[in-house]
Amino acid sequence: MSAEKISVLLLLAVIGSHAAPNASECDGLTKRLPTKDLNKIFSNWVLVWGVSDREEAIDMLPNVSSSHVEFKLLPDNKTFSYIERNMFNHNLSSCTTYFIHMTVPSNIETELQTLHADNIRLEKGRQPVEYNDTGAVDFYESCSDCLLLVYKSSRFRYLLSYKEEGSHRDVEQHKAAHDDHRKLAECLGFPKKKPYVYDRVADFCHKKSAPEANPDNQS
Ligand SMILES: *[C@@H]1O[C@H](CO)[C@@H](O)[C@H](O)[C@H]1NC(C)=O
Ligand SMILES: *[C@@H]1O[C@H](CO)[C@@H](O)[C@H](O)[C@H]1NC(C)=O
Ligand SMILES: *[C@@H]1O[C@H](CO)[C@@H](O)[C@H](O)[C@H]1NC(C)=O
Ligand SMILES: *[C@@H]1O[C@H](CO)[C@@H](O)[C@H](O)[C@H]1NC(C)=O
Ligand SMILES: *[C@@H]1O[C@H](CO)[C@@H](O)[C@H](O)[C@H]1NC(C)=O
């Protein structure tokens, strides 16, 4: 095959992978999590890919070294906690933790409706910080040990893709997975910007990222 033909094929491949998703592709990608599958979220998650729709948030993404999320059903079975711990520039003192409470939906719709935060508490470097913004989440269908959600405050939206803690070190850094995320982002109206991508090794605010480095294995 001539070099010219090869470069045409490569060019086509590049154009193909960057084509905007059409409406039917978007329908396939934007499937919300069914309410009956809400149990799937109750675990520990590591952010592996993320984008935002606001310039300030986009500028901050490269400084995020890790973001860990824990969803836990509370004993009343009616509420769950949503704890997000973010570390910036590999600096433990920079850790920012959001403690959010949400209500388990009681209606069994075919898909999960937007869930709203009942309250949000924020700590920076273990000190409480005043926080008065709203928070809401849309969960999307994803692979079996993955979590895909859109977090909405009054000012920002984030599209966030998580891998279950434990398999976060063998995350697919491959273009194919990122292409699907990028397409979903486009379908949901996010600007085309460089995403956050986890480096697979950065530690979390409350524990090491390598499982063998957490001997007591508490979570
Ligand atoms: C949408 O794009 C997909 C994948 O590129 C293609 O297979 C499908 O035929 C397209 N559908 C429409 C309605 O254009
Ligand atoms: C990101 O971190 C760098 C280096 O610490 C800092 O100079 C910069 O202001 C940070 N950017 C944002 C948006 O916080
Ligand atoms: C919550 O659900 C679990 C498992 O379904 C059940 O064993 C437990 O009794 C429930 N607790 C309450 C307070 O309803
Ligand atoms: C770590 O973060 C804290 C809190 O944001 C900051 O005061 C400190 O200067 C940072 N340390 C380094 C080495 O950047
Ligand atoms: C939150 O507090 C800030 C500053 O204290 C204020 O400007 C803003 O209007 C408040 N937002 C809401 C939603 O109450």
Side-chain angles (χ1 to χ4, degrees):
M1 198 183 283
S2 73
E4 194 182 329
K5 262 191 190 147
I6 289 171
S7 64
V8 167
L9 287 178
L10 285 176
L11 181 64
L12 286 175
V14 168
I15 292 171
S17 71
H18 284 90
N22 60 34
S24 65
E25 257 185 299
C26 282
D27 282 348
L29 288 167
T30 56
K31 285 222 170 15
R32 297 279 283 270
L33 189 72
T35 304
K36 65 174 172 52
D37 292 346
L38 182 69
N39 275 339
K40 181 179 167 342
I41 74 165
F42 299 129
S43 188
N44 294 322
W45 304 95
V46 180
L47 181 66
V48 293
W49 189 97
V51 289
S52 178
D53 63 351
R54 280 291 296 260
E55 214 57 56
E56 304 113 275
I58 292 166
D59 290 348
M60 195 205 54
L61 285 177
N63 284 6
V64 176
S65 30
S66 72
S67 177
H68 182 283
V69 162
E70 181 181 341
F71 284 107
K72 199 157 133 195
L73 185 64
L74 297 176
D76 65 4
N77 289 349
K78 295 194 179 89
T79 48
F80 63 92
S81 65
Y82 173 177
I83 304 177
E84 179 180 309
R85 299 172 166 97
N86 302 322
M87 201 195 297
F88 301 92
N89 300 312
H90 302 273
N91 176 353
L92 205 54
S93 332
S94 74
C95 279
T96 302
T97 307
Y98 294 84
F99 299 91
I100 303 173
H101 264 207
M102 288 189 161
T103 304
V104 173
S106 53
N107 54 338
I108 305 299
E109 305 276 336
T110 51
E111 46 180 42
L112 200 50
Q113 302 301 303
T114 300
L115 300 184
H116 296 270
D118 299 333
N119 67 70
I120 305 178
R121 212 158 49 71
L122 175 61
E123 280 183 9
K124 279 189 181 161
R126 302 194 171 220
Q127 296 305 310
V129 172
E130 200 168 339
Y131 189 79
N132 63 355
D133 207 347
T134 55
V137 187
D138 292 336
F139 291 97
Y140 288 88
E141 253 184 8
S142 186
C143 66
S144 64
D145 60 351
C146 309
L147 183 72
L148 195 55
L149 60 83
V150 171
Y151 184 89
K152 303 180 276 193
S153 80
S154 67
R155 295 165 299 145
F156 305 175
R157 275 192 312 154
Y158 288 96
L159 171 60
L160 303 168
S161 171
Y162 296 87
K163 195 84 176 163
E164 195 155 22
E165 188 188 318
S167 56
H168 58 280
R169 293 207 149 204
D170 43 63
V171 288
E172 183 66 87
Q173 293 272 22
H174 208 263
K175 213 171 150 294
H178 291 179
D179 259 6
D180 274 352
H181 294 336
R182 185 186 51 73
K183 279 189 185 159
L184 174 60
E186 253 184 88
C187 293
L188 296 175
F190 283 84
K192 290 191 201 178
K193 294 282 164 132
K194 196 171 183 301
Y196 164 80
V197 176
Y198 180 52
D199 68 2
R200 296 194 272 189
V201 295
D203 285 331
F204 312 130
C205 287
H206 60 316
K207 57 173 145 180
K208 302 281 185 197
S209 73
E212 63 275 17
N214 292 297
D216 49 357
N217 209 19
Q218 36 70 298
S219 56

